[in-house]
Amino acid sequence: MKEVILIGFYQPNDALNKFISNVQQEFKIQVRYLQEYTALGTAGGLYHFRDQILAGKPDSFFVMNSDVCGDFPLKEMLSFTVQKGGGSHCTVLGTEATRQQSLNYGCIVENKNTHEVLHYVEKPETYISTTINCGVYLFSPDIFCTLEKIFKKNQEDNYNYQAGNGWCSGCDPNMQMKETIRLEQDIFVPMAGSGKLYVYHTDRFWSQIKTSGAAIYANRHYLALYQNWHKERLARNGELKPQIIGDVYIHPTADVHPTAVLGPNVSVGKHAVIGEGARVRESIVLEGAVLQDHCCVLYSVIGWNVTIGMWTRVEGTPNDPNPNKPFAKVDVKDTFSPDGKLNPSITVIGSNVQVPSEVILLNAMVLPDKSLAGSCKNQIIL
């Protein structure tokens, strides 16, 4: 791997620039952010920045959606694609889901012997297949020929539509922008059955991250992966050290009191401070956060530079896959129930929030830069 390119239409800010700089220094690899002039769909940005992607003449390149996490078998995908020879333009990473949950994903029908994709439907209305698209792809540079054809077709369709209806700036808000290319609908659907689209199956950990609950779920699995790949990153029990239960990561610059109890499945960021007698479980504590003495944090995300007062309890409700259903994924639940109440969820506290002592936060979402006056249950604090 030679380079990592991030593509999006968001304005770069200090947080993103700092992140990219830190990643380049830590992993010794070039990382760039390329900003689209508008949202171009899941493949429009690839075509728009094709010259940047093809610089250096790569043999192939991975494309990964930014809202997925997992134990990605990238080397295995590459070996699988090489075995298929030059005819394969794309390999899709696939995994199994339940019959009901498969309707929320792109569904793949394959030749079980060759693993060629024969049929592809994005979020079907009825059951198609339990093999779903993981949002991780391996492309050969030939894919840009396909993208070019779709781009020109979209331009032609857009021109014909305007010519037939008379041009106006907003005549049809549902009309797809001519520059927008949807990887799933515009590319995979017509490629299926052509001999150029294949699926590589994985039974390793994989999840979307569309909710805070999925972030806690992902944190648990990434810490478990450290047991195999980076055991040195995990905290250990010892003299004058906090009590560690299960898998816990503590950044070297964090200050954790020896009487604190952490775990299982806790990640503590840079310069965080965790005080005497504190209890933290199934949570993420981000950079600069301060958890004062004897506070309790369960199933929560504590944002940058947050202060949690003494004897305060911060707790959320986990959203894990159904353990009784094989291949079940994390459900993406609505924020509110049909009767307008906030559904129980992980508690998330935004950056620079001050939480007083001796209060309870339960199933709460607190936006940044707030100073809370008391307890909060099942609320969003704007």
Side-chain angles (χ1 to χ4, degrees), residues 59-61 63 81 84-92 137-147 149 183 187-188 191 194-198:
D59 297 323
S60 55
F61 59 97
V63 173
T81 304
K84 294 299 176 184
S88 175
H89 290 317
C90 176
T91 298
V92 179
Y137 317 107
L138 179 59
F139 290 115
S140 69
D142 294 340
I143 193 65
F144 288 107
C145 296
T146 304
L147 290 172
K149 292 176 183 177
L183 187 61
I187 305 299
F188 291 161
M191 277 184 74
S194 68
K196 297 180 179 179
L197 185 64
Y198 290 84

Side-chain angles (χ1 to χ4, degrees), residues 70-348:
D71 183 8
F72 301 122
L74 302 185
K75 290 182 179 179
E76 292 84 349
M77 283 181 70
L78 182 57
S79 298
F80 171 84
T81 304
V82 169
Q83 291 174 3
K84 294 299 176 184
S88 175
H89 290 317
C90 176
T91 298
V92 179
L93 183 64
T95 192
E96 289 295 305
T98 65
R99 188 183 179 102
Q100 182 62 37
Q101 287 184 323
S102 68
L103 304 181
N104 300 320
Y105 301 91
C107 293
I108 297 167
V109 178
E110 64 169 320
N111 180 317
K112 296 295 184 181
N113 296 320
T114 65
H115 301 294
E116 179 191 347
V117 176
L118 302 177
H119 186 51
Y120 184 91
V121 182
E122 183 67 18
K123 296 178 182 176
E125 294 183 2
T126 59
Y127 170 73
I128 299 293
S129 167
T130 55
T131 301
I132 63 170
N133 176 3
C134 291
V136 178
Y137 317 107
L138 179 59
F139 290 115
S140 69
D142 294 340
I143 193 65
F144 288 107
C145 296
T146 304
L147 290 172
E148 182 178 13
K149 292 176 183 177
I150 297 298
F151 179 80
K152 290 181 177 179
K153 181 180 181 299
N154 287 349
Q155 284 189 315
E156 183 178 336
D157 291 347
N158 188 278
Y159 174 80
N160 291 338
Y161 177 86
Q162 291 182 358
N165 291 275
W167 187 91
C168 65
S169 60
C171 52
D172 185 357
N174 296 317
M175 183 67 185
Q176 184 178 324
M177 282 183 55
K178 60 181 181 297
E179 295 90 352
T180 300
I181 303 176
R182 302 166 301 174
L183 187 61
E184 300 82 7
Q185 294 94 329
D186 297 335
I187 305 299
F188 291 161
V189 171
M191 277 184 74
S194 68
K196 297 180 179 179
L197 185 64
Y198 290 84
V199 58
Y200 180 83
H201 286 266
T202 181
D203 57 2
R204 299 181 187 178
F205 153 65
W206 176 87
S207 178
Q208 286 185 325
I209 312 178
K210 292 187 179 293
T211 66
S212 54
I216 296 296
Y217 177 70
N219 178 62
R220 181 190 312 161
H221 282 274
Y222 277 129
L223 289 171
L225 291 177
Y226 286 174
Q227 287 284 2
N228 296 325
W229 303 108
H230 293 286
K231 211 163 188 175
E232 74 283 356
R233 295 181 184 177
L234 295 174
R236 293 285 178 259
N237 288 296
E239 189 176 355
L240 299 179
K241 291 183 178 181
Q243 181 181 345
I244 302 299
I245 302 172
D247 297 332
V248 174
Y249 169 78
I250 302 175
H251 192 274
T253 61
D255 181 9
V256 182
H257 196 276
T259 60
V261 180
L262 276 62
N265 307 316
V266 170
S267 292
V268 180
K270 294 180 181 178
H271 306 295
V273 177
I274 299 179
E276 179 181 348
R279 178 70 173 100
V280 186
R281 172 182 178 146
E282 296 279 358
S283 296
I284 300 171
V285 180
L286 294 176
E287 180 176 349
V290 177
L291 277 56
Q292 294 182 352
D293 297 352
H294 307 292
C295 69
C296 180
V297 176
L298 312 172
Y299 295 101
S300 300
V301 178
I302 309 300
W304 295 277
N305 304 311
V306 166
T307 298
I308 306 295
M310 293 188 295
W311 297 101
T312 283
R313 183 182 184 92
V314 179
E315 184 173 358
T317 300
N319 178 27
D320 291 342
N322 188 336
N324 299 316
K325 290 186 177 181
F327 311 119
K329 310 302 179 193
V330 173
D331 279 323
V332 180
K333 296 182 178 179
D334 293 332
T335 304
F336 296 97
S337 63
D339 58 356
K341 295 181 179 179
L342 185 67
N343 281 322
S345 66
I346 295 296
T347 289
V348 181

